[in-house]
Amino acid sequence: MDVGIVGYGAYVPRHRIKVEEIAKVWGADAPTYKKGLMLGEKSVPSPDQDVITMSVEAARHALTRSGIDANKIGAIYIGSESHPYAVKPSGTIVADAIGATPNIHCADMEFACKAGTEGMFVAMSLVKAGEMDYALGIGADTSQGAPGDALEYSAAAGAAAFIMGKEKVLAVCEHTHAHMTDTPDFWRREYQHYPRHAGRFTGEPAYFDHVVPCGRGLLEKSGTTPKDFQWAVFHQPNGKFPMRAGKKLGFSTEQMKQGWLAPILGNTYSGSSPMGLSAVLDVAKPGDRIFMVSYGSGSGSDGFIFRVTDEIAKVQKAAPQTREQLEDNPIYIDYGTYAKYRGKIRMLED
Amino acid sequence: MIGSPRSWREKPQRYRYEAGKCSGCSKIFFPPRLVCDACGSKTFETQVLAQTGVVETFTIIEVAPSGFTDEAPYAVGIIKLDDGVKVTAQIADCKPEELKLGDKVRLEFRKVTEDGASGILHYGYKFVLA
């Protein structure tokens, strides 16, 4: 039985801030950040946008592409590290807004930037097990970086949603693989507003020592080589890491560039590799194979191999495409507006 | 302060844009109501509003009330939807000086307000330029 993606959608907020604008405030050298992290600008959510609102929009795009009734969805899993409530699920609101309640299983997931692919993994596994016909996995974040920290140049906002099913599958999931160890490279303690990280430790042994082994395990398990794939997508904490990880595995720039959104989007954390996948699905052709590996600090990676089917051409333009949302009509803001939008200014309390 | 009961009660219209269509005369009410003011019927069927429309009129809020100061200046307009229904709502993510009568807009799901720093978050519809 072929199980995989039957509908997908992404959402990108309209506001952007450029690396130069952030560097100017902190006396940092913008060209160094741009070259070192391969980042140019990042998305910024409006004050009225959060994980829930972006998830609803992405899920609605996925529903449009799937052509199914929302009440056929048997589960909703939203992965994020910026759920608006500490206690109360994001998934209940999203499910109600898209019309998928009440006969639906729901859980919010957290695993730093890997929570989105966890939702996809579990949603797909439930369909594969025959527990339900359709399940929805979403990766979304309005990520925070402390003022002046290196993370502030990358922490962005966005969402991607995937409806998993077994009929009219757009992209069949052929193989999965997971790789995980306890590696404390990035964390946020309870009641803390901003996350902390271990500087260069976040590269090796964190990101690279999980993404690359997960990728190798996926290639080994599937009996494939990088030449068997048209597209490859990796988690994008910045522009540099995914390219380097992909090259280590044997993938070319050509295979990676369509899903490589970080230079103009930033790091959307749980939405990062899922949004890259959505950008690839926007242009993929029947028969194409997609290689995807996520990464979440803490640390772990989820790997997927998708094979695109004939169904894809019917839906690619049925909802807003990911790069189209990224490139069309951005509103550039200055650091003051950014600080206001992201709640970085201490206000008088009511 | 809106509170949980009202927020919960208004979900159909705020989350899913569900209007009431009079079974007697087909007049559409948004938000839904119990009695049709045109024919007196008390029977309605649910109709989901069109998701796109045009700006019929708008004003710019320069001095925002508490809870909306982060977004000022912002536009509030009357939108004529493609199904003829008129809805009053905020028009988000636009520069006030760029907004024009007749602009095409579409619905987006947004946070409308929140009950202070520890209360319920209220979600619903706003419009953005299409």
Side-chain angles (χ1 to χ4, degrees), chain A residues 91-101, chain B residues 8 11 15-16:
Chain A
T92 54
I93 300 168
V94 176
D96 224 325
I98 64 172
T101 52
Chain B
W8 176 82
K11 279 188 310 177
Y15 284 16
R16 298 188 296 273

Side-chain angles (χ1 to χ4, degrees), chain A residues 5-27:
Chain A
I5 299 164
V6 301
Y8 72 94
Y11 183 83
V12 185
R14 251 188 99 185
H15 293 97
R16 305 278 187 280
I17 187 165
K18 288 184 179 288
V19 163
E20 288 87 345
E21 184 63 27
I22 301 171
K24 186 174 72 184
V25 171
W26 300 112

Side-chain angles (χ1 to χ4, degrees), chain A residues 231-232 243 252-261 280 323:
Chain A
W231 314 102
M243 279 293 173
S252 68
T253 303
E254 199 57 35
Q255 287 166 301
M256 294 187 277
K257 71 179 185 188
Q258 175 63 22
W260 187 51
L261 307 176
V280 166
R323 280 193 174 272

Side-chain angles (χ1 to χ4, degrees), chain A:
Chain A
M1 178 178 61
D2 283 346
V3 172
I5 299 164
V6 301
Y8 72 94
Y11 183 83
V12 185
R14 251 188 99 185
H15 293 97
R16 305 278 187 280
I17 187 165
K18 288 184 179 288
V19 163
E20 288 87 345
E21 184 63 27
I22 301 171
K24 186 174 72 184
V25 171
W26 300 112
D29 185 44
T32 304
Y33 272 99
K34 289 179 86 167
K35 192 178 168 200
L37 298 175
M38 296 173 83
L39 291 170
E41 59 192 60
K42 67 168 192 174
S43 63
V44 180
S46 296
D48 60 357
Q49 291 184 303
D50 59 23
V51 162
I52 290 169
T53 66
M54 296 190 305
S55 295
V56 168
E57 290 299 319
R60 283 178 176 161
H61 296 328
L63 271 170
T64 301
R65 285 195 172 99
S66 71
I68 65 163
D69 287 337
N71 58 23
K72 289 186 176 170
I73 296 172
I76 177 169
Y77 302 113
I78 303 177
S80 179
E81 62 174 69
S82 43
H83 290 291
Y85 286 98
V87 178
K88 192 201 173 310
S90 299
T92 54
I93 300 168
V94 176
D96 224 325
I98 64 172
T101 52
N103 300 310
I104 183 168
H105 187 257
C106 167
D108 285 359
M109 300 199 166
E110 284 190 25
F111 191 144
C113 300
K114 189 172 87 73
T117 57
E118 281 175 348
M120 293 167 63
F121 190 98
V122 175
M124 192 164 55
S125 300
L126 284 167
V127 175
K128 206 167 189 175
E131 289 290 321
M132 53 192 65
D133 292 331
Y134 300 99
L136 174 59
I138 300 174
D141 255 307
T142 53
S143 31
Q144 283 280 14
D149 188 89
L151 282 178
E152 196 178 30
Y153 294 88
S154 60
F162 298 87
I163 299 171
M164 304 299 181
K166 54 198 170 195
E167 285 178 20
K168 294 188 178 175
V169 179
L170 316 173
V172 176
C173 185
E174 294 186 322
H175 297 278
T176 61
H177 186 64
H179 184 98
M180 188 194 83
T181 70
D182 179 31
T183 306
D185 63 326
F186 170 103
W187 62 93
R188 180 166 60 82
R189 295 271 302 275
E190 191 81 291
Y191 307 117
Q192 294 296 307
H193 193 56
Y194 299 115
R196 297 188 70 121
H197 58 86
R200 289 184 181 276
F201 187 83
T202 59
E204 285 160 350
Y207 179 89
F208 293 105
D209 286 359
H210 290 81
V211 171
V212 175
C214 182
R216 286 200 179 118
L218 190 56
L219 290 169
E220 204 170 296
K221 203 185 248 185
S222 59
T224 56
T225 69
K227 289 189 174 128
D228 295 319
F229 298 90
Q230 282 66 41
W231 314 102
V233 180
F234 299 96
H235 173 58
Q236 300 162 38
N238 50 53
K240 191 176 182 178
F241 279 22
M243 279 293 173
R244 194 195 284 177
K247 296 273 170 69
K248 279 188 178 197
L249 286 164
F251 291 96
S252 68
T253 303
E254 199 57 35
Q255 287 166 301
M256 294 187 277
K257 71 179 185 188
Q258 175 63 22
W260 187 51
L261 307 176
I264 51 171
L265 173 64
N267 178 10
T268 54
Y269 286 45
S270 301
S272 177
S273 51
M275 291 177 79
L277 175 63
S278 72
V280 166
L281 289 170
D282 282 342
V283 299
K285 293 187 170 52
D288 284 358
R289 275 209 170 101
I290 305 167
F291 189 88
M292 173 182 179
V293 179
S294 67
Y295 174 75
S297 289
S299 293
S301 285
D302 293 331
F304 303 83
I305 290 176
F306 292 104
R307 177 175 44 82
V308 179
T309 74
D310 292 341
E311 296 289 327
I312 194 78
K314 300 174 194 166
V315 304
Q316 283 169 323
K317 290 183 179 165
Q321 298 197 321
T322 305
R323 280 193 174 272
E324 174 188 294
Q325 292 184 64
L326 254 175
E327 289 157 10
D328 290 355
N329 304 317
I331 301 172
Y332 288 97
I333 56 175
D334 58 19
Y335 192 89
T337 306
Y338 164 76
K340 182 175 80 164
Y341 281 8
R342 301 301 294 132
K344 293 181 184 223
I345 301 174
R346 186 184 292 269
M347 304 289 286
L348 199 63
E349 291 181 14
D350 288 334

